[in-house]
Amino acid sequence: ALLEVGGETFAGCLRDPARSVWEDAKLRGVDFRAVGNEPPWLLEITRGGEMRMVTDYGAREVSVPTPDPETEPGSSRTSYASDTPRVSLRVELEAKPCTDPMSGERFETSVTVVLDDEFYRGCGRPLH
């Protein structure tokens, strides 16, 4: 791609799909995003909005209102728990380094998700 701004030309612009999905989430107002593997999954948390979990290669998508976070005094953990008539979604964020085993990308937060009775582990980061 070629980018021209104010008469100045920038060559060699490249599309970075891994970064663009994170930037897209940020632009949509998502406050925290997490990903994991086996099977691939993603979680987006928007304060005052919803928690959205996508798993099973996109076949299952769940959205619930974002509950108030619970933080354990003196710990580096924050939890969210939402039980609705159709789904239970529990999320625990822990401020400790995490590396995605597939991509090698490093994150500042380890994430555990329980969707109904299924456990998911992965990594994430705040977007704002």
Side-chain angles (χ1 to χ4, degrees):
L2 183 65
L3 174 66
E4 187 174 321
V5 178
E8 189 174 354
T9 301
F10 301 89
C13 298
L14 300 174
R15 182 174 172 259
D16 185 344
R19 286 190 61 206
S20 65
V21 294
W22 292 84
E23 195 59 31
D24 172 68
K26 182 178 180 179
L27 291 171
R28 288 186 287 111
V30 173
D31 295 296
F32 185 88
R33 188 168 195 275
V35 294
N37 302 294
E38 306 305 327
W41 61 269
L42 71 89
L43 171 76
E44 295 179 338
I45 300 174
T46 304
R47 279 181 253 141
E50 66 181 15
M51 291 194 302
R52 176 177 164 258
M53 174 86 174
V54 179
T55 188
D56 297 333
Y57 298 93
R60 184 171 186 200
E61 182 172 340
V62 172
S63 294
V64 297
T66 301
D68 291 333
E70 295 180 19
T71 304
E72 298 174 26
S75 88
S76 59
R77 293 183 182 160
T78 300
S79 300
Y80 296 86
S82 181
D83 291 303
T84 71
R86 61 182 183 85
V87 69
S88 172
L89 181 60
R90 300 182 181 288
V91 177
E92 182 177 289
L93 311 178
E94 185 173 4
K96 75 175 190 182
C98 182
T99 302
D100 183 300
M102 299 287 279
S103 70
E105 186 173 0
R106 294 181 182 172
F107 296 83
E108 60 193 66
T109 307
S110 295
V111 180
T112 302
V113 179
V114 181
L115 176 58
D116 293 329
D117 294 326
E118 297 179 45
F119 285 79
Y120 301 88
R121 296 194 194 287
C123 307
R125 71 171 59 100
L127 301 181
H128 294 283

